[in-house]
Amino acid sequence: MAFPAHLRQTQQRESIYKFLDESNLPLTPEAIHEQLKDKIDLSTVYRTLDVFHKAHVVHKLLLDNKIYYYLAGEDHKHFLICLECHHISEIQTCPFHVFESKIEKETQFHVTYHPVELYGYCRDCKKTNKNH
């Protein structure tokens, strides 16, 4: 995806945006910094993500008291998160559009965004621990 036209484009912002675009999965500011530390300091990563979030360029995901960021894009995303190994995988389809339409009709409330994360145990962790 192209860098958002409504934001001032700097080399640091472009690097962070490109890295998030190539990732396709939520990342912590520290993980982003780890990959870009030769170009950008950690405080710049945090400030840039804050600008991106306020401009609706990224969404936030809270997992284990850490904030993860991912590009908002044209399509929204939902994730499966393993409680054991913390692996995050994206759900390819959104099953919530039907509910969103129903809620809008019943309440006259216009839904613009619905973050949903599903927590459980991945295939590997289920095999390892039969109690799941």
Side-chain angles (χ1 to χ4, degrees):
M1 285 192 314
F3 190 87
H6 65 285
L7 290 177
R8 184 172 57 90
Q9 190 170 353
T10 66
Q11 187 175 8
Q12 291 91 350
R13 287 181 180 184
E14 190 172 349
S15 294
I16 293 169
Y17 184 86
K18 183 179 179 195
F19 187 71
L20 285 170
D21 188 35
E22 291 171 355
S23 164
N24 290 325
L25 287 176
L27 297 166
T28 63
E30 294 79 12
I32 295 166
H33 176 255
E34 182 62 31
Q35 295 300 313
L36 303 174
K37 65 184 171 190
D38 295 338
K39 302 176 187 176
I40 305 168
D41 62 38
L42 184 58
S43 62
T44 301
V45 172
Y46 273 102
R47 281 193 309 274
T48 300
L49 291 171
D50 188 49
V51 167
F52 285 176
H53 186 256
K54 287 177 182 173
H56 306 288
V57 172
V58 296
H59 292 303
K60 290 182 182 181
L61 166 68
L62 182 63
L63 173 62
D64 282 345
N65 295 322
K66 292 182 184 176
I67 297 176
Y68 290 72
Y69 294 86
Y70 62 95
L71 286 183
E74 294 174 11
D75 294 327
H76 63 280
K77 298 180 180 185
H78 300 296
F79 301 98
L80 301 173
I81 302 164
C82 181
L83 293 168
E84 185 84 22
C85 69
H86 305 292
H87 178 76
I88 301 172
S89 38
E90 183 181 345
I91 300 171
Q92 296 303 314
T93 59
C94 176
F96 303 104
H97 288 298
V98 174
F99 300 116
E100 190 176 292
S101 296
K102 185 176 181 188
I103 289 168
E104 285 188 5
K105 285 178 185 172
E106 290 175 3
T107 64
Q108 302 301 306
F109 182 83
H110 176 68
V111 178
T112 58
Y113 171 58
H114 59 259
V116 175
E117 293 84 39
L118 302 172
Y119 295 84
Y121 297 95
C122 69
R123 181 182 349 200
D124 294 337
C125 291
K126 257 176 49 175
K127 286 180 189 175
T128 306
N129 188 340
K130 299 288 183 190
N131 293 331
H132 300 311

